[in-house]
Amino acid sequence: MNKKIFSLAALLVASLLTACDDEFLTTKPKGVINQQALETKQGVDALLIGAYSLLDGVGSGNTAWHSAITNWVYGSVAADDTYKGTDAGDQPEITFIETYNWLPTNTHFRGKWRHTYDGVARCNDVLQVMANAKDMTAAEKAQVTAEARFLRGHYHFEAKKMWNKVPYIDEKTYNPSNPESTKVPNTTDIWPKIEADFKAAYDVLPVNQTQKGRVTKYAAAAYLAKAYMFQRKFAQAKLLLDEIIASNKYTLVPAFFNNYNAATNNNAESIFEVQMSVNDGSPGGNNGNNGNILNYPYIGPWNCCGFEQPSQNLVNAFQTVNGLPLLDTYNNTDVKNDEGLKSTDPFTPHTGSLDPRLDHTVGRRGIPYLDHGMHAGSSWVRDQAYAGPYSPKKAVWSKGFSHATNRNNSNNYRLMRLAHVLLWRAEVAAEENDLEKARELINQVRTRAANSAGFVKMPDGTSAANYVISTYPSPFASQVIARNAVQFETRLEFGMEGHRFFDLVRWGIADQVLNTYVAKEKTKRTYLNGATFKKGVNEYYPIPEAEIVNSTVNGVNTLTQNPGY
């Protein structure tokens, strides 16, 4: 569903307000949308598209990277996938997040909160206005309700995984005539209500939609399964994951890169994508993946901004021996890099064997950077001494793709794809001690990664590095090894896509992994000295102080802060 549909729908709604009244004194103020004018099929659809339009994280106040759907700040920088990047003085609020110095006054947390609950509010607006629409059939209302509830589930899910203790707001809670109606306590676990929204969507939505980007039955099934995975409800997740796989509706695309290629948006692997568009009339091209606007190399054609630089730890994870990952020892030896060298100094890239997904995830010296030429080391990085030699790659556009500015582009974000489903199902199998099933599913993902047609190539057509990847050839020796294998594969497949921190938390290993990460990385990035992940505290972010203050009713805060803040 192209975002420019929202602009057209908004114009359509606005046109409903231009008719002249017979009486001057009864003329409604210009520029104010009357709710009654929206109580039509067209008005409801415009509101629904408005709820979709916030999926990318842009459009709520001044937020952009604060609330990007990619969660690169909260899911990647706060984990072991990436550094903040750029230089020490740029966006220091993100440095506080990276070093686990989390304060409730950090503006990034409030930006994410505002966006999340603005999204919830838009969904509730759809349901409230639709209740009075007279030109909609019961089937049409059921369809809209299902889509709105899916989106409401998504926005609440984002809040839940960020803060855990969050309020749930539905259309019955929100009273437009009472500004305090949404000031409800955050003392009740909202997982059951999130599940109910996704289940309601799953029960009604069709398998296929006529417009790309609209949620489908299997997207709702995948999101409900994800909610179960976060709660370790493996038996419930298994049923849904098996249903999606057995449908044969989705297939792994042959080339891994096609999941990060604007030319292959909405491909055969995609279950649900956040749609990006450019040249659609939006101010500044903000519909074009604006949440990642900072995450480009610090040279032309982008000229900004050098954030979200891959960590050495992430790069090291792509090393292989006999085609397999080094599950426990990957970080003992660094992949060769050009840190400390000038871009004019001679350099030969790492010659050891590597998983080919590395060079679709990370820009590194001596390797083609999409079709923009060779990544040229220090000349591409704003401050190599501060944040290392690497550049982000997955969200960057290639020359032939549409882009509105030097950074906003039409590359969609694949929020749910078949590889997610396969690896969640492998995780369930590992937890059930069905080790062969876990191996089979992990190997499906690795087989696709091993397709040489999808390797990064040099100009002469040869592979850009020593890519050696294979499937696990023999049964896992134990449940522990199977669990480690699926967790490691999840990192390799979805590196720098904003999932890592939340995965570590739901696996219950965040403190162990992240403190081990910091212990070594601080020898490379000195600003990490003193950083410590505090178990029992840093699994969830602090609720923004301003939101706690704003929750006051009769002098009492309805929101309570998370432990440790």
Side-chain angles (χ1 to χ4, degrees):
M1 179 177 57
N2 195 309
K3 285 184 145 187
K4 63 186 175 185
I5 295 174
F6 177 61
S7 300
L8 295 174
L11 290 173
L12 177 63
V13 172
S15 71
L16 299 174
L17 309 177
T18 58
C20 296
D21 289 339
D22 292 335
E23 298 293 333
F24 172 75
L25 293 178
T26 61
T27 300
K28 295 178 176 60
K30 293 182 178 179
V32 177
I33 297 180
N34 182 288
Q35 178 170 316
Q36 190 174 10
L38 294 171
E39 293 173 351
T40 66
K41 180 178 178 179
Q42 291 177 326
V44 169
D45 194 51
L47 290 173
L48 179 60
I49 294 170
Y52 273 103
S53 77
L54 281 187
L55 282 173
D56 63 354
V58 178
S60 178
N62 294 323
T63 60
W65 58 90
H66 308 77
S67 49
I69 184 58
T70 55
N71 281 312
W72 64 271
V73 175
Y74 316 107
S76 295
V77 173
D80 49 358
D81 273 6
T82 70
Y83 313 128
K84 180 203 75 173
T86 182
D87 62 25
D90 204 351
Q91 294 290 328
E93 296 90 345
I94 303 178
T95 301
F96 292 139
I97 294 172
E98 183 177 9
T99 56
Y100 310 109
N101 184 12
W102 298 350
L103 298 177
T105 53
N106 191 309
T107 57
H108 282 66
F109 297 141
R110 193 183 184 203
K112 180 70 173 179
W113 183 283
R114 287 181 60 191
H115 170 267
T116 298
Y117 281 98
D118 279 356
V120 169
R122 289 196 185 187
C123 298
N124 289 332
D125 285 343
V126 171
L127 297 172
Q128 288 187 333
V129 170
M130 184 186 66
N132 297 320
K134 301 296 192 292
D135 63 342
M136 296 180 67
T137 66
E140 288 170 339
K141 286 189 175 183
Q143 170 80 14
V144 168
T145 298
E147 292 187 47
R149 290 194 67 176
F150 171 89
L151 294 172
R152 187 171 68 190
H154 159 78
Y155 291 120
H156 278 112
F157 193 112
E158 285 291 290
K160 178 68 174 173
K161 71 183 186 183
M162 283 282 297
W163 295 285
N164 189 33
K165 293 173 57 178
V166 292
Y168 177 88
I169 311 295
D170 63 16
E171 79 280 11
K172 296 175 183 177
T173 305
Y174 171 53
N175 180 354
S177 64
N178 178 12
E180 294 189 341
S181 62
T182 58
K183 295 182 178 181
V184 298
N186 60 337
T187 53
T188 301
D189 184 4
I190 71 168
W191 276 127
K193 293 184 177 180
I194 292 174
E195 291 174 13
D197 273 341
F198 290 139
K199 179 63 164 57
Y202 166 79
D203 287 341
V204 171
L205 288 170
V207 171
N208 298 300
Q209 291 274 24
T210 55
Q211 285 184 321
K212 292 179 180 178
R214 286 193 186 268
V215 63
T216 65
K217 182 181 187 69
Y218 289 131
Y223 229 136
L224 179 55
K226 183 177 180 179
Y228 289 145
M229 295 299 293
F230 267 66
Q231 300 172 79
R232 301 184 66 80
K233 293 182 177 180
F234 298 120
Q236 293 95 318
K238 178 181 178 180
L239 294 173
L240 292 164
L241 298 171
D242 281 344
E243 180 183 353
I244 296 168
I245 294 168
S247 74
N248 293 318
K249 179 173 173 54
Y250 308 100
T251 58
L252 295 175
V253 293
F256 178 69
F257 172 62
N258 284 341
N259 290 304
Y260 315 99
N261 182 347
T264 51
N265 285 342
N266 303 301
N267 62 36
E269 186 170 339
S270 175
I271 297 174
F272 187 66
E273 293 190 14
V274 177
Q275 306 293 303
M276 309 295 178
S277 67
V278 296
N279 303 321
D280 59 0
S282 63
N286 284 348
N287 287 340
N289 206 354
N290 190 257
N292 279 328
I293 198 169
L294 302 182
N295 305 333
Y296 293 82
Y298 202 70
I299 62 163
W302 310 285
N303 300 318
C304 188
C305 294
F307 283 79
E308 199 192 16
Q309 289 182 237
S311 70
Q312 185 64 50
N313 183 287
L314 175 66
V315 172
N316 291 346
F318 289 90
Q319 297 181 89
T320 63
V321 171
N322 297 323
L324 296 175
L326 290 74
L327 299 181
D328 299 314
T329 60
Y330 73 93
N331 206 37
N332 289 354
T333 304
D334 288 347
V335 170
K336 182 182 177 183
N337 65 62
D338 66 320
E339 187 164 351
L341 299 179
K342 297 179 181 178
S343 59
T344 55
D345 291 338
F347 176 74
T348 301
H350 187 78
T351 58
S353 60
L354 297 168
D355 186 312
R357 288 172 289 190
L358 168 62
D359 290 324
H360 291 300
T361 305
V362 175
R364 60 192 184 100
R365 185 169 174 187
I367 306 298
Y369 192 85
L370 302 173
D371 53 2
H372 298 283
M374 295 290 179
H375 193 280
S378 61
S379 65
W380 283 48
V381 174
R382 187 170 186 173
D383 187 347
Q384 193 182 78
Y386 174 73
Y390 304 114
S391 296
K393 200 169 186 180
K394 282 183 174 178
V396 178
W397 50 268
S398 296
K399 288 181 179 178
F401 303 155
S402 298
H403 53 282
T405 67
N406 55 348
R407 294 187 297 283
N408 287 341
N409 66 86
S410 59
N411 198 3
N412 289 350
Y413 176 67
R414 282 71 168 179
L415 181 58
M416 296 276 188
R417 55 187 177 90
L418 182 59
H420 287 104
V421 169
L422 294 176
L423 290 176
W424 289 331
R425 183 63 182 88
E427 189 176 332
V428 170
E431 295 303 323
E432 292 182 337
N433 211 30
D434 186 353
L435 307 189
E436 256 319 274
K437 183 67 173 179
R439 184 171 74 103
E440 171 202 329
L441 291 161
I442 294 169
N443 280 347
Q444 286 186 44
V445 175
R446 293 186 64 79
T447 296
R448 187 266 299 282
N451 179 6
S452 61
F455 292 0
V456 173
K457 300 294 199 304
M458 299 297 281
D460 64 1
T462 59
S463 292
N466 181 21
Y467 301 132
V468 183
I469 180 172
S470 64
T471 57
Y472 287 95
S474 56
F476 294 126
S478 69
Q479 184 183 47
V480 170
I481 293 174
R483 185 183 291 126
N484 289 347
V486 69
Q487 291 175 356
F488 208 92
E489 197 68 27
T490 297
R491 187 186 194 190
L492 298 175
E493 182 75 8
F494 303 109
M496 298 185 66
E497 294 184 43
H499 304 295
R500 177 66 173 170
F501 177 84
F502 305 108
D503 281 339
L504 292 173
V505 170
R506 71 181 181 86
W507 291 330
I509 59 175
D511 60 317
Q512 172 190 338
V513 170
L514 295 179
N515 284 325
T516 300
Y517 162 75
V518 168
K520 182 169 182 180
E521 290 295 315
K522 69 183 181 183
T523 65
K524 302 176 174 67
R525 313 273 77 86
T526 57
Y527 66 84
L528 288 173
N529 279 310
T532 301
F533 182 98
K534 297 175 285 295
K535 186 175 183 179
V537 175
N538 292 133
E539 286 84 359
Y540 298 102
Y541 294 101
I543 295 172
E545 182 177 290
E547 298 301 332
I548 294 177
V549 172
N550 289 342
S551 75
T552 302
V553 176
N554 297 324
V556 178
N557 296 334
T558 58
L559 293 179
T560 58
Q561 185 56 272
N562 279 327
Y565 298 107

